[in-house]
Amino acid sequence: MTTPTAPSPTAAGSGASATQTFRTADKYRGAGTAAPERVDAVVRDLLLAVHDVIRRHEVTYPEFQAAKSWMIEAGEGGEWPLFLDVFVEHVVEEVQAATQEGTKGTILGPYYLPGSRRLPSPATLPMRDDEKGTPMVFAGHVRDLDGNPVAGAEVDIWQADDDGYYSGFAPELPEGNLRAVVVTDDDGRFEIRTIQPAPYQIPTDGPTGKLIEAAGWHPWRPAHLHLIVGAPGHRAVTTQLYFSGGEWLDSDVAEAVKPELVLDPQDAGDGTRRVEYDFVLQRDEATAAA
Ligand code: MBD
Ligand code: FE
């Protein structure tokens, strides 16, 4: 059921697209601005941690050279965004989450694209005429910490299709498929018609997939919706929502599941599933005056 039957986009294709996207994205700005004291403190400890692992495991020359080869291949295949977002980002998110109130956040991942089509609520995500998958209505409110509705909030949503593939990173999918920025109405409400996504499998033909196989791990993330929810004067939250009872929920390769983020859609009786989820945003003192 979770094994894709459609032809798989190659690791090289999706990896390189993720690298290209990262280089052109806003989030890339700010790189190279760390103070020397910070670089010294963090990179020194990072290297000490590596040295410690080498001593404890008595890492050999062949293993050291294999690691170099793998890193070169990961770079050439454009897989560093994929690898880092799967195996490292969850801890960076954990550190930042300690300072954020409201809806729980989780990792962004490598497949966000800025500039999705902006649609007023209620909205149907752009999809193919014959889009496969169980139809689903995902609805709720955006509120502040005091429970006031936030009108005009942006629910930026992106998701995999019924085969586990993301538009922009799989050549056969139309541009913008299953991506949109849905704007809440005067009551802070959004209603989004879509299909339920399938679990995501890390491409098995690239360096990250080969490493996972070599270690005997599994390459799966549970099915999820990606979201960035924000509004003027509020701190945006980057998060994901999962599905109760879904496969891989307890063993996400990216370790990004939190219990507060699991949806339980109900059958609406017409073959559609429905689920409500309310987002809570913290006011952002830096932009509140704007
Ligand atoms: C994904 O779809 C994803 O969400 C993350 C975090 C990493 C790889 C693929
Ligand atoms: Fe994802």
Side-chain angles (χ1 to χ4, degrees), residues 2-208:
T2 53
T3 306
T5 49
S8 161
T10 64
S14 52
S17 311
T19 292
Q20 219 28 63
T21 301
F22 179 78
R23 284 195 167 130
T24 53
D26 281 351
K27 63 189 173 184
Y28 188 54
R29 291 187 208 140
T33 59
E37 301 74 30
R38 181 72 176 163
V39 178
D40 175 44
V42 173
V43 178
R44 180 196 297 271
D45 270 5
L46 178 63
L47 291 171
L48 284 173
V50 173
H51 302 164
D52 179 57
V53 168
I54 293 168
R55 289 195 186 99
R56 281 195 293 118
H57 294 277
E58 300 181 347
V59 170
T60 64
Y61 261 100
E63 288 168 342
F64 176 52
Q65 306 302 9
K68 271 195 236 171
S69 292
W70 182 87
M71 286 184 197
I72 291 166
E73 277 171 38
E76 285 173 350
E79 281 203 4
W80 281 116
L82 175 69
F83 176 86
L84 291 168
D85 294 355
V86 166
F87 291 112
V88 180
E89 189 186 355
H90 69 94
V91 187
V92 181
E93 196 283 328
E94 174 189 313
V95 169
Q96 103 127 23
T99 72
Q100 186 156 15
E101 292 177 88
T103 297
K104 284 266 183 262
T106 189
I107 65 178
L108 176 69
Y111 299 142
Y112 175 65
L113 292 174
S116 286
R117 190 183 303 175
R118 213 166 181 274
L119 300 170
S121 174
T124 299
L125 293 192
M127 64 176 86
R128 293 163 286 186
D129 291 340
D130 58 350
E131 191 71 46
K132 285 191 300 161
T134 306
M136 178 176 70
V137 176
F138 167 56
H141 291 84
V142 179
R143 301 187 208 276
D144 66 18
L145 285 169
D146 301 320
N148 304 308
V150 183
E154 292 187 344
V155 179
D156 196 336
I157 180 169
W158 69 104
Q159 64 169 91
D161 67 8
D162 191 50
D163 291 316
Y165 299 130
Y166 286 87
S167 63
F169 302 90
E172 74 276 14
L173 296 184
E175 192 182 325
N177 206 241
L178 299 175
R179 296 174 183 269
V181 176
V182 178
V183 182
T184 60
D185 67 16
D186 291 345
D187 300 319
R189 187 166 173 79
F190 66 89
E191 188 165 308
I192 300 169
R193 188 167 285 274
T194 181
I195 55 111
Q196 224 177 288
Y200 171 87
Q201 183 183 29
I202 295 181
T204 51
D205 58 331
T208 305

Side-chain angles (χ1 to χ4, degrees), residues 86-87 200 202 212 217-222 248 251-255:
V86 166
F87 291 112
Y200 171 87
I202 295 181
I212 288 168
W217 304 335
H218 82 247
W220 292 96
R221 297 211 62 221
W248 317 112
S251 63
D252 179 7
V253 65
E255 298 187 48

